[in-house]
Amino acid sequence: MLNSLKKKIFLNSCLFLFFTNCFAQKMHLTNFGVEEGLAQSQVQTIVQDREGYLWIGTVDGISKFDGISFTTLTAKDGLAENHVTSSMIDKNGNIWFGHYGGSITKFDGESFQKIVSEKISPNTILNIFQDSQNNLWVGTSKKGLFRFNGKNDFQNVEAEEGFDAKDVNSIFEDENQDLWFGTEKGIFHLKFSAKKFINFSKEKKIYEKAIYSIHLSKTGKMVFGTSNNGLILYSPKKNTFDFITVQDGLASNSSYRIDEDLDSTLWIGSFGKGISQVSQNHQIKTLTIANGLPDDTINCLFKDKEGNIWVGSEAGLTKFSSFKFQLYSENDGLPDKVVW
């Protein structure tokens, strides 16, 4: 077949500047904006349902993406509000959307349900989370943390329980079913079956300011994105901390969003400085408008079921498609370096 194309592919040890027998990853970038059918250009949150559809929350509605085209959904279709700030898919496949004005929308696969509570509104829903015990948690701006029964009963977590933060930016559950909360006062920790929260930042004396994001890396380290101190890497087994900042090559010390690709490279989204890709050995590469991003303020990062990385920014949606290549040489059984 290649003879008909009359092309030669030269394979050698320096092809693409990679070593023979190594795997390398090449990312293909595709941008989507309003012109391609996106509801609005300021993308705030992304989730993927069981059927593979992406649900993209913007400041003016939701875009449902089937891989080819977008379908726009707004308050006219049943959303509680157009401005979507967070999203989550529960164990039953229901999709939950948090809104800027404090309301919640639940989609059960057929219809939308509006949930409004005077305990929260008009403060923003920053995140909705379901833990392994099926408890629902709602993190807000200015109103703190709530336990939620999934209907209309919101119970505010009080200071008597050891939690006195007001801005709950992120919620995460680790392999031990412990819960972690990123807040304006640092990191709070709720151990499985415990009744009281621990101010982890104060206890460890590490960073008692805003934590934006929490991620458990494939290496077993917990990664905390801070407001102005870069990344905190915590090893639970060793009880040790590492720090990565702009002095180490990070694009910004404001680490707003974190995800991880198939190569175990961390993707760190920032305010106004693009994306930092941090390898396992802490080599760092920066992606900005100069590399094809539509904007350098990153609102969300999401890895889909195929390993593609989706980036929501202030100017649209970007897909980084992952392609793996393996290089072969005569040592692997090829008769020659030239393949016809």
Side-chain angles (χ1 to χ4, degrees):
M1 182 174 68
L2 292 179
N3 283 334
S4 64
L5 296 176
K6 293 184 179 180
K7 292 183 178 179
K8 296 179 181 180
I9 303 175
F10 295 92
L11 300 176
N12 54 55
S13 61
C14 62
L15 183 61
F16 298 121
L17 301 180
F18 298 124
F19 293 104
T20 302
N21 297 326
C22 289
F23 282 91
Q25 186 179 56
K26 179 181 178 181
M27 305 297 288
H28 174 71
L29 178 153
T30 306
N31 288 320
F32 303 90
V34 176
E35 296 80 5
E36 287 72 37
L38 199 61
Q40 203 269 349
S41 61
Q42 293 169 282
V43 177
Q44 306 296 303
T45 181
I46 306 167
V47 290
Q48 186 174 26
D49 65 24
R50 292 176 174 177
E51 287 72 37
Y53 293 101
L54 291 180
W55 295 73
I56 301 142
T58 77
V59 301
D60 195 23
I62 294 169
S63 290
K64 182 181 177 183
F65 187 52
D66 62 6
I68 299 174
S69 60
F70 295 91
T71 300
T72 297
L73 302 165
T74 66
K76 294 180 180 179
D77 301 290
L79 294 182
E81 301 174 39
N82 281 343
H83 193 158
V84 181
T85 52
S86 57
S87 57
M88 181 271 290
I89 297 183
D90 67 23
K91 295 176 183 177
N92 295 320
N94 301 306
I95 310 177
W96 300 78
F97 301 99
H99 296 282
Y100 182 80
S103 59
I104 293 173
T105 300
K106 176 185 176 182
F107 180 66
D108 63 6
E110 295 183 0
S111 60
F112 292 101
Q113 175 188 353
K114 303 176 184 178
I115 302 171
V116 180
S117 172
E118 293 181 355
K119 294 180 180 179
I120 299 176
S121 183
N123 297 280
T124 301
I125 304 289
L126 297 178
N127 45 74
I128 307 171
F129 184 83
Q130 183 182 41
D131 65 27
S132 59
Q133 304 303 304
N134 297 323
N135 301 305
L136 290 171
W137 302 83
V138 176
T140 72
S141 171
K142 309 303 182 187
K143 285 289 186 175
L145 178 66
F146 290 83
R147 294 182 178 91
F148 176 45
N149 72 347
K151 296 179 180 179
N152 201 31
D153 184 20
F154 294 84
Q155 297 296 325
N156 198 197
V157 177
E158 303 290 346
E160 288 76 14
E161 298 180 63
F163 191 93
D164 60 353
K166 296 301 180 184
D167 295 334
V168 183
N169 303 311
S170 54
I171 306 174
F172 179 81
E173 184 175 20
D174 67 21
E175 296 171 330
N176 298 317
Q177 298 180 305
D178 291 1
L179 294 173
W180 300 79
F181 303 85
T183 77
E184 87 281 5
K185 293 187 175 183
I187 306 160
F188 282 80
H189 182 199
L190 181 64
K191 292 184 178 180
F192 181 67
S193 75
K195 295 182 179 180
K196 294 199 72 172
F197 293 77
I198 298 170
N199 188 325
F200 185 80
S201 291
K202 182 178 290 186
E203 181 183 77
K204 298 295 183 179
K205 298 178 181 179
I206 52 167
Y207 188 77
E208 296 182 50
K209 297 180 182 179
I211 299 292
Y212 289 137
S213 50
I214 306 172
H215 175 80
L216 179 64
S217 73
K218 295 176 184 177
T219 62
K221 289 185 177 181
M222 296 196 67
V223 186
F224 301 97
T226 73
S227 58
N228 60 13
N229 199 43
L231 297 176
I232 300 171
L233 283 70
Y234 171 60
S235 175
K237 293 182 179 180
K238 298 180 180 179
N239 194 30
T240 57
F241 294 90
D242 292 315
F243 302 87
I244 302 177
T245 68
V246 292
Q247 294 180 340
D248 304 297
L250 208 62
S252 170
N253 277 336
S254 175
S255 303
Y256 188 53
R257 291 291 180 255
I258 305 173
D259 213 320
E260 188 170 359
D261 66 23
L262 297 176
D263 281 343
S264 300
T265 296
L266 295 173
W267 291 56
I268 316 299
S270 71
F271 287 113
K273 296 293 184 178
I275 297 170
S276 292
Q277 295 176 309
V278 184
S279 69
Q280 289 190 53
N281 60 359
H282 296 181
Q283 292 183 335
I284 300 174
K285 177 183 177 181
T286 300
L287 301 174
T288 65
I289 291 176
N291 304 102
L293 288 176
D295 192 84
D296 285 338
T297 294
I298 309 302
N299 296 325
C300 59
L301 294 166
F302 178 78
K303 181 175 68 178
D304 68 21
K305 296 175 182 178
E306 296 178 345
N308 303 304
I309 300 291
W310 296 82
V311 179
S313 71
E314 284 292 284
L317 176 70
T318 302
K319 176 185 178 183
F320 286 88
S321 303
S322 175
F323 300 97
K324 292 276 191 175
F325 296 95
Q326 184 171 6
L327 306 182
Y328 296 92
S329 73
E330 293 165 290
N331 295 330
D332 301 296
L334 283 178
D336 198 291
K337 292 182 180 178
V338 180
V339 181
W340 297 81

